[in-house]
Amino acid sequence: MNIRLLASAALAAVLAVPAFAAQTLVPAKSALGFTFKQMSVPVEGTFKTYTAQVSFDPAKPEATQATFSVDLGSIDVGGPDGNAEAKKKAWFDVASFPKATFTAKSVKALGGGKYEARGPLVIKGLSRDIVAQFTAKPAGSDLLLEGGFPLKRLQYKLGDGAWADTETVADDVQVKFRFTLTGKP
Amino acid sequence: MSKTRYDGVQIAFHWLIALLIVAAFGLALYVDDLPLSALKFKLYAYHKWIGISVLALVVLRLVWRAWRGAPSALPGQPAWQVKAAAGIHHLLYLLMLALPLVGWLMSSAKGFPVVLFGVLQLPDLVSRNEALGHQLAELHEVLAYLLLAVVVLHVLAALKHHIIDRDDTLRRMLPGRG
């Protein structure tokens, strides 16, 4: 028996499989966006880049383990000026806080194919608990999670200073997601 | 009986619309150079609200004019001046309709629909299209400067009547003294 080979095989196995994360996010079939109101005008935006480590079985939601990480520099609010502004210190301060993370602390079934996830969402170093509702349904061999949650931008100091005026940019932001997971939980 | 003066409603329409056009033009010049800010969003919204108000008021004004008529040119003027004045007036009406309409189209194309006075969301006239939005923005600007030029001619002509000819052309669009 070649001990070295065995050890490296074991190491490779450990590296390949994170603590949980049996499912993989399929970016091409996923979307993460948000809507808010600017002078009462609905505006939509998206994040292009995000990763997830998920183990979610619709039959056993309590056993869910999930963390999401969003690359905030990938924000798109529909134009180069807005995108540049969103990365600045007053908004996401991407230079100091490049990522937002969400960790599911508890997931429960609400019935009718609906679920509710609770946990801390960390943006700009500020952690706030959120409650996201979503549906889970099979899409071919994949699993499609669709849902969203509301957040208050000022709780994360998004839009500090002169931007804090909620008449111009509303405090309420609705986040929407569509995550396609592949693989078994 | 032929009218010698514009009626009170027409006079109100004229000066209110004039005021709104000046305000919208000034706002646009100022906002364009502002860095992206809450103030810029606010002023852009005001500019759009004023523009749509002008559009609505001009439509009402035309309906009123069709119903009540307008005084004909004062007698004893060269035919070319009467024709020029009519041409300028037609151009003014055309631009007062086209400029806000192009602005509305541009808002739709850029994906920022107009929500009038922050309350009434106007329907999108075209679907979102960044390239079209840029073209409409340029057209909006060209039309704005064209309107500026036509307004300057209109004002100069009115002042010429008032100061040089000393006739009643301007006075019949002024409130008061019937």
Side-chain angles (χ1 to χ4, degrees), chain A residues 102 108 110 115-119 128-133 148-150:
Chain A
F102 171 71
K108 66 178 183 189
L110 299 175
Y115 299 87
E116 186 179 273
R118 288 169 185 268
R128 302 279 181 266
D129 280 343
I130 56 137
V131 182
Q133 293 197 346
F149 58 91

Side-chain angles (χ1 to χ4, degrees), chain B residues 29-155:
Chain B
L29 280 185
Y30 178 66
V31 169
D32 209 35
D33 289 334
L34 276 184
L36 198 64
S37 58
L39 179 66
K40 185 167 187 153
F41 284 156
K42 219 170 231 179
L43 297 183
Y44 258 133
Y46 296 165
H47 172 84
K48 292 181 182 189
W49 300 350
I50 292 172
I52 297 298
S53 302
V54 168
L55 180 62
L57 287 168
V58 169
V59 169
L60 292 175
R61 184 176 171 185
L62 283 169
V63 169
W64 187 268
R65 187 188 168 119
W67 179 36
R68 302 298 298 262
S72 46
L74 292 175
Q77 301 189 65
W80 74 267
Q81 281 186 17
V82 176
K83 270 191 188 149
I88 292 283
H89 293 159
H90 281 115
L91 201 50
L92 280 170
Y93 278 115
L94 192 69
L95 287 169
M96 288 190 294
L97 293 171
L99 192 53
L101 264 176
V102 170
W104 183 354
L105 280 163
M106 160 187 168
S107 292
S108 301
K110 284 179 173 266
F112 287 91
V114 182
V115 180
L116 192 57
F117 306 126
V119 181
L120 178 67
Q121 181 163 348
L122 304 186
D124 281 332
L125 299 180
V126 289
S127 52
R128 191 170 182 163
N129 180 335
E130 199 62 35
L132 180 65
H134 277 296
Q135 287 167 347
L136 288 166
E138 281 177 22
L139 179 60
H140 191 67
E141 192 176 350
V142 168
L143 290 178
Y145 281 107
L146 187 58
L147 178 61
L148 175 68
V150 179
V151 164
V152 166
L153 281 176
H154 178 68
V155 170

Side-chain angles (χ1 to χ4, degrees), chain A residues 38-43 77-78 81-82 85 162-163 165 168-169, chain B residues 36-38 41-42 45-46 49 111-113 115 118 121 128 130:
Chain A
Q38 174 195 303
M39 289 302 287
S40 310
V41 179
V43 179
V77 290
D81 293 351
E85 183 66 33
W163 285 110
D165 169 27
T168 315
V169 180
Chain B
L36 198 64
S37 58
F41 284 156
K42 219 170 231 179
Y46 296 165
W49 300 350
F112 287 91
V115 180
Q121 181 163 348
R128 191 170 182 163
E130 199 62 35

Side-chain angles (χ1 to χ4, degrees), chain A residues 77-98:
Chain A
V77 290
D81 293 351
N83 292 348
E85 183 66 33
K87 290 169 199 165
K88 287 184 188 167
K89 212 171 167 69
W91 290 95
F92 285 101
D93 194 5
V94 170
S96 310
F97 305 98

